[in-house]
Amino acid sequence: KNHPLTGYRKSCWYEEEIEENLRWSFALNSILHTAATQYQDIALLDTKPFGKALVIDGKLQSAEVDEFIYHECLVHPALLHHSNAKSIFIMGGGEGSTAREILRHKNVEKLVMCDIDEEVVEFCKSYLTVNREAFCDPIMELIINDARAELENRKECFDVIIGDLADPIEGGPCYKLYTKSFYEFTIKPRLNPGGIFVTQAGPAGIFSHTEVFSCIYNTLRQVFKYVVPYSAHIPSYADTWGWVMASDSPLALSPEEIDLRMKQRIKGENRYLDGKTFSSASTLSKAVRNSLDNETEVYTEATASKFGWGMM
Amino acid sequence: KNHPLTGYRKSCWYEEEIEENLRWSFALNSILHTAATQYQDIALLDTKPFGKALVIDGKLQSAEVDEFIYHECLVHPALLHHSNAKSIFIMGGGEGSTAREILRHKNVEKLVMCDIDEEVVEFCKSYLTVNREAFCDPIMELIINDARAELENRKECFDVIIGDLADPIEGGPCYKLYTKSFYEFTIKPRLNPGGIFVTQAGPAGIFSHTEVFSCIYNTLRQVFKYVVPYSAHIPSYADTWGWVMASDSPLALSPEEIDLRMKQRIKGENRYLDGKTFSSASTLSKAVRNSLDNETEVYTEATASKFGWGMM
Amino acid sequence: KNHPLTGYRKSCWYEEEIEENLRWSFALNSILHTAATQYQDIALLDTKPFGKALVIDGKLQSAEVDEFIYHECLVHPALLHHSNAKSIFIMGGGEGSTAREILRHKNVEKLVMCDIDEEVVEFCKSYLTVNREAFCDPIMELIINDARAELENRKECFDVIIGDLADPIEGGPCYKLYTKSFYEFTIKPRLNPGGIFVTQAGPAGIFSHTEVFSCIYNTLRQVFKYVVPYSAHIPSYADTWGWVMASDSPLALSPEEIDLRMKQRIKGENRYLDGKTFSSASTLSKAVRNSLDNETEVYTEATASKFGWGMM
Amino acid sequence: KNHPLTGYRKSCWYEEEIEENLRWSFALNSILHTAATQYQDIALLDTKPFGKALVIDGKLQSAEVDEFIYHECLVHPALLHHSNAKSIFIMGGGEGSTAREILRHKNVEKLVMCDIDEEVVEFCKSYLTVNREAFCDPIMELIINDARAELENRKECFDVIIGDLADPIEGGPCYKLYTKSFYEFTIKPRLNPGGIFVTQAGPAGIFSHTEVFSCIYNTLRQVFKYVVPYSAHIPSYADTWGWVMASDSPLALSPEEIDLRMKQRIKGENRYLDGKTFSSASTLSKAVRNSLDNETEVYTEATASKFGWGMM
């Protein structure tokens, strides 16, 4: 009954509030799957600008066309800076992409992925075809548990521990996995000598880096001797993202050394990261660098209990 | 990686530009089916506020929760005002809802539905379960053709002819099915004595009725002795909608007579229309009434050819 | 630095959530004025589709192009059904449009407008030029007070009392001005013999009328002998709106009598309402009519106190 | 009349289509000024996330909170790499921020800014208080003209020429200011020995750099011996942005040399750029670097005339 129009506009949209006053919207091809787990709501969307997109609790987690930036940055710097990373522990990572990148390293012999939400893991296993192989890899041991509980109960140590968790926000379920005491008394004891810890560290843009990035960095430098923050722009996030790598052994490779180790150790070709890219990513801009240098806040259990999470 | 939020907002939306400066958006559950036919793009959406919604070329055609208003208003007044409507012709109507309402009339013996877009008809047949029975009714004769060509080539006449077509807009494919000469030389000769023509007539709101409603009304009163415009608010259209009924026989029933005929002739119960409702619907507000009285524009082939459609 | 485009789309929008899953957006020319009062946030916008729009707490109150529908419907039926309405009391109405319509009645000698929010009144006085004359009219007595307190403390009675208040929603400040006991013990004692009460009554669409319209109607028919609900589609509200008129004297005028009284009593010409329009407006559609007939809920102080407002 | 809600959502938004399927929306405080010039539509908005924002033809040009990133990156690398930049020519730059950054250099003695749109310049002069001083600086010579015509008619040469123009898109007015022949026959002859040309170069994100960035780079390396592309994430653009600096003299300063020259030559402190930041910005990520290396397209008059601009 209505007017037929030629050249009408796209009519189905995914919309996200990046912050209260800022919105980001993608035209949709379809809504592929939705589910509600015990912990969160989950959806797999087919978006026009960024391909398939995994959305949890109304926030984009990962988009098909550019998740490689996030996952290459999370995984490869730590594994490459380690002299010979054989055993890896992932906190979170239920999507499977972190495991997928780890499994490209020829020297990895043991991989434990510990995510609390079984249904999200099942959802991703079923629908994210790009990670299907990783989920089936015999090296990968999948554990459904709270990452802290799991690390505390385990006896063995790891060469690299990777934090692929939600940001440490007030009232959030992951806050306690970013505190000084957690790093000191849970992470460090589970690292082998020469071991490296790396964590995603939230938005790292010129303004947004003060939300959690600078504080994660400052918390880690209370605990580890060598701490390297780095960042990369991820289009589907509409922001620059940050990671922090930490160790008690030096973390210093030249771009050329990185390129060489990549060639020796990694199956296939990276799409985003190489030696020069990491060199650029770990040279922060003046504003962010100064802000990190001057950060004084530390995530502590005390702060956590202020938020009501201390008892958990 | 992103913040998990409780109480996050709905994130998938269907959005329509009602006019250039006015938008109407429904939260989406899912995008059920999409298709591109020779003539138009078609989608079946599952919307939160209005249930399943049929969208053609970016414009909402029909929503599950309130399509009964449109279709009861299109079909029943004409069939009830006729002394004994046995044969009906639908121009357009591919969705099937118009046929469904007609088939509720016990005295209907013949029903021809003529739509130009076979793929839309097939789409609706497959996915609109509420009309499935209508599509399978042995009384219904489905024809894929241009309605004008079909009416001109047919020999028999009908008691009621129903226009369930897109609005007569500039450059639109349906303009020629709203002209004075079409009504005079194509519709009228195909009506039995006492026959009634009714057409959907576009938006009929206090401002929007000047788009096409007043002109359809004025065109019809050039050709028929008795012409009754009426309207009803349809929530999913974000507007009041209009229809015009026309005949060379008087169209005057009291609310009580309408209620009586409904009881006698219609299977099941109407949800929207009864005698009083029609009385209210056909009593237009002062502004619209005056505007219709004073309308001077007539849709003619000349106007049509001005738009480049005269030769079709 | 960016691409210059011809024919780019409108880029500034006012957006309202009509309900959780339904949005309504107007292209903006400008944001004329904004203010935060003790009670609410207020803004005057210049919108493309509906002209100047008054928005309070994120909800459209009134739009330049169609506020006449709301205000003519609120004021004229009650004043016309009264044999000679000389004294009028408005609860709320700070915008000034209700007073403006009342002051068009030649026989009005006394007009009290009682609004709780002085700053909204000042805002409207300053910026709504169309009501400037009304605000300056010597007949009008403006009082800043809670309408209940004001009516309870006053000694004199009125011919017509008008409720131009926010809807009676859970937790809302106006709930107590819609209860049976308020109507019985506050409104009725302040009406002269033959007096009429009328109130705006929220959305009255085919689905939305169950929100408050049917219950306001049912509450009033517990208290008054004659109760007339009526409705009209208001484009900028994206819905049909409702009003209820109530009295212990009969409320029955033919369309012709209404038209005659309009001519005799009202200065200038109505744009929306005349006798036939009111006849149509007060003949509700089948679904709404049945729903009102069968409504059993009554707004009571008990219900109010359930919401925590009983003590106010 | 409507429900008063606490915690209602922001209701006025600026919305931009970054690309056809991608939207970026800022909550608005107000629409400060709008104007339509001979060439373009212009608006100054007060946005919640990014402060005052200059919008031309529906595209964000510059936002108060982060325009310093764009303008520091456009101006300082070229002026610092030059041994002693005394005379500068800006193509475009009507906003005034480019001039403002140039005027911070103590050794600048002559500054010509040539913009075609007088009304945009006047608009920015009036409303962008941050640049008011720059517009009044006696060193600055403001010329309203087509930049090509101006450069061709001028006799003198410049130490640095800066392109602060809209992107070279099909059908766009600035295409001809990005062609090989323009660089060869108009820019180069107007550069003093040791002179440097720098231009904004459009989006430089991991996907978006193929739109114009790689091609601007490739065109410049046909004409100049030394060409340095670099990029930075600009939050309000929702993308990483690119610039290209070109010269026939070497462009190689260490971060320390850059920092030293900044200290010696620039009044006040940069907010974004320093030696390390430039080192990071000019080390492109693997994907972008490879893509630029392999770019074969060159902007030529022939291509331009294909778009119908060759004759201008």
Side-chain angles (χ1 to χ4, degrees), chain A:
Chain A
K1 297 96 217 190
N2 255 298
H3 309 181
L5 295 179
T6 54
Y8 62 91
R9 303 188 53 250
K10 291 302 164 282
S11 46
C12 293
W13 292 85
Y14 166 74
E15 178 184 298
E16 181 172 326
E17 300 208 339
I18 303 257
E19 22 176 301
E20 197 195 348
N21 294 314
L22 192 57
R23 268 197 222 150
W24 190 223
S25 311
F26 312 159
L28 281 177
N29 286 317
S30 61
I31 299 172
L32 296 168
H33 304 283
T34 57
T37 80
Q38 181 189 348
Y39 301 95
Q40 39 206 355
D41 281 355
I42 184 163
L44 188 66
L45 309 176
D46 185 5
T47 77
K48 285 179 197 286
F50 297 116
K52 286 180 195 162
L54 184 69
V55 174
I56 295 188
D57 287 351
K59 293 297 251 179
L60 177 74
Q61 298 302 302
S62 184
E64 189 180 9
V65 304
D66 63 10
E67 56 91 358
F68 69 91
I69 304 176
Y70 175 92
H71 292 104
E72 291 188 7
C73 285
L74 176 63
V75 166
H76 301 309
L79 269 72
L80 292 171
H81 278 80
H82 193 281
S83 59
N84 183 10
K86 293 184 174 172
S87 58
I88 321 284
F89 186 94
I90 312 171
M91 306 192 289
E95 174 188 329
S97 305
T98 299
R100 180 198 66 212
E101 290 300 315
I102 290 166
L103 291 166
R104 294 175 52 211
H105 283 255
K106 299 174 202 159
N107 38 351
V108 168
E109 293 169 2
K110 178 186 186 65
L111 168 57
V112 178
M113 169 173 142
C114 177
D115 198 294
I116 203 169
D117 194 335
E118 183 160 23
E119 290 163 286
V120 162
V121 173
E122 285 307 316
F123 187 97
C124 295
K125 219 183 202 166
S126 305
Y127 300 126
L128 301 184
T129 48
V130 71
N131 296 336
R132 199 159 283 171
E133 218 173 305
F135 278 114
C136 299
D137 197 296
I139 286 178
M140 154 116 121
E141 179 186 350
L142 171 61
I143 290 175
I144 304 300
N145 195 3
D146 172 76
R148 177 149 99 171
E150 184 66 24
L151 281 170
E152 283 169 1
N153 295 333
R154 284 209 163 227
K155 297 286 166 292
E156 84 266 43
C157 288
F158 296 88
D159 295 327
V160 176
I161 298 178
I162 296 180
D164 188 11
L165 299 158
D167 289 350
I169 54 158
E170 193 172 332
C174 294
Y175 180 89
K176 61 183 168 138
L177 302 173
Y178 288 89
T179 60
K180 186 182 168 204
S181 66
F182 175 71
Y183 291 147
E184 201 161 1
F185 302 120
T186 307
I187 291 289
K188 240 184 163 171
R190 298 265 70 80
L191 281 175
N192 285 321
I196 299 176
F197 172 69
V198 66
T199 180
Q200 82 84 16
I206 186 129
F207 306 122
S208 59
H209 73 275
T210 57
E211 291 172 24
V212 300
F213 182 52
S214 59
C215 195
I216 292 172
Y217 167 75
N218 189 45
T219 304
L220 280 164
R221 71 175 168 177
Q222 312 299 315
V223 178
F224 290 95
K225 271 196 212 141
Y226 303 92
V227 182
V228 178
Y230 54 100
S231 69
H233 176 228
I234 300 182
S236 66
Y237 287 7
D239 208 349
T240 289
W241 213 252
W243 301 264
V244 184
M245 180 166 66
S247 180
D248 281 339
S249 305
L251 297 166
L253 291 182
S254 71
E256 294 70 30
E257 287 168 313
I258 290 179
D259 287 339
L260 181 64
R261 288 192 177 180
M262 277 190 180
K263 216 179 226 169
Q264 293 168 334
R265 299 189 191 172
I266 300 183
K267 289 174 264 182
E269 184 100 15
N270 277 357
R271 294 176 59 194
Y272 184 73
L273 206 83
D274 65 1
K276 280 190 177 169
T277 305
F278 182 72
S279 157
S280 174
S282 57
T283 306
L284 301 175
S285 75
K286 180 185 177 188
V288 178
R289 199 183 333 122
N290 288 346
S291 190
L292 261 62
D293 284 350
N294 298 326
E295 179 62 72
T296 58
E297 204 189 326
V298 171
Y299 288 127
T300 64
E301 289 295 312
T303 336
S305 76
K306 204 178 59 187
F307 302 151
W309 289 95
M311 292 305 127
M312 291 188 63

Side-chain angles (χ1 to χ4, degrees), chain C residues 182-204:
Chain C
F182 175 70
Y183 290 146
E184 202 161 359
F185 302 121
T186 306
I187 292 287
K188 239 185 163 171
R190 298 265 70 81
L191 281 176
N192 287 320
I196 299 175
F197 172 69
V198 65
T199 181
Q200 81 86 15

